[in-house]
Amino acid sequence: MVRKKIKSALISVYCKDNLEPVIKTLGKYGVTIYSTGGTFDFIKNITEVHSVESLTGYPSILGGRVKTLHPKVFGGILSRRDNSSDKEDLAKYTIPEIDLVIVDLYPFSETLASGSSHEEIIEKIDIGGISLIRAAAKNYKDVLTVSSRDQYSSLLELLESQSGTVGIEDRIRYAADAFELTAKYDQNISDYFASLLNKEKFALNISPANKLRYGENPHQQGVFYGKLDDIFTRLHGKEISYNNLLDIDSAFALINDFQETTYAVIKHNNACGCASDSEPAKAWEKALAADPVSAFGGIIITNSPVDVEVAEEINKLFFEIILAPEYSNEALNLFKTKKNRIILATKSGKRPTKQFRSVLNGVLLQDIDNVSEDISYLKQVTKKSPTEQEISDLLFANKLVKHSKSNAIVLVKNKQLLASGIGQTSRVDALKQAIEKAKNFGFSLSGAVMASDAFFPFPDCVEIASKEGITAIIQPGGSMRDRESVDLCDQTGLSMAITGYRHFKH
C-alpha cells in the first residue's frame, strides 16, 4: 500500500482536550500547520504555526462567523493532486496544498440539551467547520479528515506507527466517519427547526452497526444499530443474537415497572414466570414455579443483586441469559461455569421514549407505553370492594398483562404469576388458556385475581372467572357493555376495578 506523507495541516477545533500530543507529533514530522482563533493561540505555545489570516489576507469577521471560508483554504483542501489544471490554479493563486484537516464542530446538541436560548442554539450551528470536514472527506484520495476529538488517540497511533504518512484505507475510514458525523449533526439541526414548526418527521441516524449472526431465522440477515454498552455490560458468554435482543428488550420493559424485589422469566417476549417478594430467593422460587417447562432456555431478569444463595437455585435451570444490576463474586463464578451462558449487568441508563416499526412501505412511530398504574388509577365499579391483598395482586397482574401479547389475560395470587393466556384471537380463549395452564402446574385459582389488557366486550369472561374461584378483576373498561360485566360481578360476588388505560401489545 502506497502511503502519502502529510506535509501540511489545517487545525481549528472547539475542544482542545488531548490535542497537544497530536500537535507535538505533527511538529516532529515537520508538518506545516495553519490555524485560527483560539486554536492558533493554543498551538503557538507548542510548535510553530501559521495563522489562516496570513494565508487568506482576511481577518476573522462577523464576530467569528467567517474565518476559514476562503478559496485559499478550500482550494488547498479540494485540489486534486493528480489533476494538472488544479495544480496550475494552485500555482497561479499561491494556494498551498493541505493534506490533513483536524476540525470539530460547535456543540449544537449539547447546547440544545442544556436548555439554552434560541439565539444561543442558533450560534452553535457550525458553518465553517462542517464545510471543512465535508471538503476534506470529499477529497479523501489526498486529504485525511479528523472530525472528532475521539479520534485523536487513533490519529496519534497512526502517525507514530507510519512515520507521518497515511494510506488510502486510512483516509477512506476517516472520511466515512466524517460523513456519518455531519449527517447526524445536520439531522439534529433539522429536527430542531421541525420542532419550532411543530412539524412531525421521522429520521434516524443510529450507530454503530453491530452485525448479528443472523436475524430472526438463520436464513435472514440481522444487524443491531446502537450502543448496547449504554444499557448493560456483558460479563460472560457468547455473542447476543437477534432473538436474544428482542427478549432482552421485553425483559427490560417489564422489570422497569416493578419497585419491589422481582424476578421474571421471559420466553418469546412474554413472561412465563414472574414474582415479587422481599426475599430474593422466594421471588425466584415463585417465578420459576409458574411455568418451569417454558423457563427452560429462557431469559431471567431481576431488579435485585444476585447472591450465591439465589444463584445456586437459578443454576439448576438451563437458561440462556441472566440480567441483574450486580452479582456477588461467588454467584458470578458459578454462572460462568457454562461457557456460552450470557451474563449481563444492567445499567440505569436512559430508555427511549418512542418506538417504531416498519409497516408496508413506511414506518409506524408511537410513544412508549409508559403508563404503570398504581392505586390512584383504580376506579371501583362493583358493590364489593377488593381487599388490600387483592389490590396489591391486581396492580401486579396489570403490570404483567401490559407486557403480554394481545389478547392477554393474566392470573395472579400473592404477587405471583399463576398463568397467562397470550396472543389469542379472543379474550375468552386467552382466559381458558390461562386457566388450563394454571391447573396443569397445580395452582388453585381460589382467591386469585384476573387482569385483562383490554375491555370485555361481553360478560362471558366474568362468568368463567367466577366459576373458577377468581375473586377480583382489573381491566381498562370502555366497552358499551361494561355494565353487563359489572352486574355479573355483583351477582357472583366479585370485585372489579377499571383503570381507563388499555394496554394492547401487538
Side-chain angles (χ1 to χ4, degrees):
M1 178 181 67
V2 178
R3 298 192 183 101
K4 299 182 69 171
K5 181 174 175 57
I6 294 176
K7 299 177 182 178
S8 59
L10 172 66
I11 306 176
S12 180
V13 297
Y14 184 84
C15 178
K16 299 160 189 69
D17 294 347
N18 302 317
L19 181 62
E20 185 173 345
V22 175
I23 301 300
K24 288 181 177 179
T25 300
L26 292 174
K28 182 175 75 172
Y29 290 114
V31 176
T32 300
I33 300 175
Y34 299 93
S35 190
T36 184
T39 311
F40 174 85
D41 294 335
F42 177 81
I43 296 174
K44 72 180 182 182
N45 295 318
I46 304 171
T47 191
E48 184 180 356
V49 60
H50 304 276
S51 69
V52 168
E53 290 83 355
S54 68
L55 174 64
T56 64
Y58 277 86
S60 173
I61 62 173
L62 305 182
R65 279 190 166 196
V66 180
K67 290 182 286 190
T68 56
L69 295 169
H70 193 281
K72 283 205 169 185
V73 174
F74 280 85
I77 295 171
L78 286 165
S79 65
R80 293 156 290 188
R81 309 310 196 249
D82 59 356
N83 186 293
S84 58
S85 177
D86 286 3
K87 287 184 175 181
E88 290 173 5
D89 285 341
L90 294 188
K92 181 178 180 180
Y93 298 106
T94 322
I95 300 174
E97 293 177 346
I98 295 174
D99 307 314
L100 168 65
V101 171
I102 303 178
V103 175
D104 64 3
L105 302 176
Y106 288 164
F108 176 83
S109 296
E110 293 84 347
T111 305
L112 178 61
S114 71
S116 298
S117 67
H118 175 71
E119 289 72 21
E120 291 172 313
I121 292 168
I122 294 302
E123 285 307 311
K124 288 299 184 287
I125 297 177
D126 205 307
I127 302 300
I130 203 164
S131 301
L132 291 167
I133 289 172
R134 289 178 62 84
K138 176 178 179 177
N139 201 25
Y140 69 90
K141 288 183 178 179
D142 299 302
V143 181
L144 180 67
T145 313
V146 178
S147 53
S148 168
R149 60 180 179 269
D150 295 337
Q151 297 173 317
Y152 291 169
S153 60
S154 64
L155 171 64
L156 194 60
E157 183 180 342
L158 185 66
L159 293 172
E160 293 285 15
S161 65
Q162 298 179 174
S163 302
T165 65
V166 292
I168 185 65
E169 290 86 355
D170 302 321
R171 294 192 295 274
I172 290 174
R173 186 174 71 255
Y174 277 78
D177 290 342
F179 281 121
E180 183 176 335
L181 181 143
T182 60
K184 287 183 179 179
Y185 194 82
D186 285 338
Q187 186 61 60
N188 290 335
I189 296 169
S190 173
D191 289 346
Y192 174 67
F193 274 87
S195 72
L196 298 178
L197 301 172
N198 295 316
K199 180 181 176 183
E200 293 290 337
K201 59 187 299 246
F202 179 83
L204 281 177
N205 191 324
I206 303 175
S207 63
N210 303 274
K211 189 171 183 179
L212 305 172
R213 283 174 286 162
Y214 49 79
E216 199 162 9
N217 298 291
H219 63 277
Q220 297 170 272
Q221 293 184 350
V223 180
F224 173 78
Y225 294 91
K227 297 179 179 179
L228 291 175
D229 289 344
D230 292 346
I231 306 298
F232 52 71
T233 300
R234 185 158 63 97
L235 304 177
H236 181 74
K238 63 183 180 181
E239 292 297 318
I240 297 171
S241 72
Y242 182 100
N243 290 331
N244 288 158
L245 287 171
L246 291 177
D247 281 333
I248 289 169
D249 183 65
S250 297
F252 263 106
L254 173 64
I255 208 69
N256 283 342
D257 274 346
F258 290 90
Q259 285 72 50
E260 188 178 356
T261 297
T262 301
Y263 272 84
V265 185
I266 305 298
K267 200 72 173 286
H268 295 294
N269 310 141
N270 294 288
C272 61
C274 185
S276 295
D277 196 286
S278 58
E279 296 183 35
K282 287 186 178 179
W284 165 247
E285 180 185 358
K286 293 196 294 184
L288 178 62
D291 186 350
V293 175
S294 295
F296 183 87
I299 288 180
I300 300 167
I301 189 166
T302 181
N303 54 8
S304 172
V306 179
D307 61 22
V308 69
E309 177 190 358
V310 183
E312 286 174 346
E313 294 303 314
I314 294 173
N315 204 48
K316 295 175 182 177
L317 173 74
F318 170 75
F319 61 92
E320 271 208 81
I321 301 174
I322 185 166
L323 302 99
E326 59 182 281
Y327 306 84
S328 70
N329 289 332
E330 295 87 349
L332 190 58
N333 289 333
L334 181 61
F335 287 147
K336 283 183 175 180
T337 56
K338 299 292 186 181
K339 183 178 71 171
N340 290 328
R341 178 181 286 163
I342 299 170
I343 307 170
L344 306 176
T346 56
K347 300 178 181 179
S348 56
K350 186 178 180 182
R351 299 281 291 160
T353 58
K354 303 284 185 180
Q355 61 183 176
F356 59 92
R357 63 199 296 182
S358 59
V359 174
L360 300 175
N361 61 345
V363 174
L364 282 174
L365 176 70
Q366 68 171 353
D367 297 330
I368 293 284
D369 184 358
N370 58 7
V371 173
S372 185
E373 293 88 343
D374 57 29
I375 193 169
S376 66
Y377 285 77
L378 304 186
K379 179 183 177 183
Q380 182 185 327
V381 291
T382 50
K383 294 175 182 178
K384 183 180 178 182
S385 301
T387 66
E388 186 175 333
Q389 180 61 53
E390 285 173 338
I391 290 173
S392 177
D393 284 346
L394 288 171
L395 294 174
F396 181 95
N398 200 59
K399 288 179 172 65
L400 280 171
V401 83
K402 167 188 169 182
H403 296 285
S404 302
K405 294 288 185 182
S406 300
N407 288 310
I409 292 288
V410 165
L411 305 178
V412 164
K413 185 160 63 174
N414 298 324
K415 288 187 282 191
Q416 177 188 18
L417 172 64
L418 302 184
S420 57
I422 51 179
Q424 299 301 303
T425 52
S426 85
R427 205 153 297 281
V428 170
D429 285 345
L431 175 56
K432 288 179 177 178
Q433 181 190 58
I435 291 169
E436 181 181 1
K437 189 172 184 179
K439 290 180 177 179
N440 285 343
F441 288 106
F443 289 111
S444 167
L445 295 178
S446 178
V449 306
M450 176 173 77
S452 175
D453 63 334
F455 63 64
F456 299 113
F458 303 100
D460 41 13
C461 284
V462 173
E463 181 181 2
I464 295 169
S466 66
K467 291 178 180 179
E468 296 295 337
I470 292 167
T471 56
I473 298 172
I474 187 169
Q475 56 124 338
S479 169
M480 294 177 63
R481 296 174 178 265
D482 272 349
R483 190 70 251 170
E484 294 179 23
S485 293
V486 172
D487 288 343
L488 188 54
C489 282
D490 288 337
Q491 293 168 25
T492 54
L494 275 69
S495 62
M496 177 182 284
I498 63 173
T499 65
Y501 285 87
R502 187 181 72 186
H503 291 296
F504 270 162
K505 185 181 179 186
H506 295 108

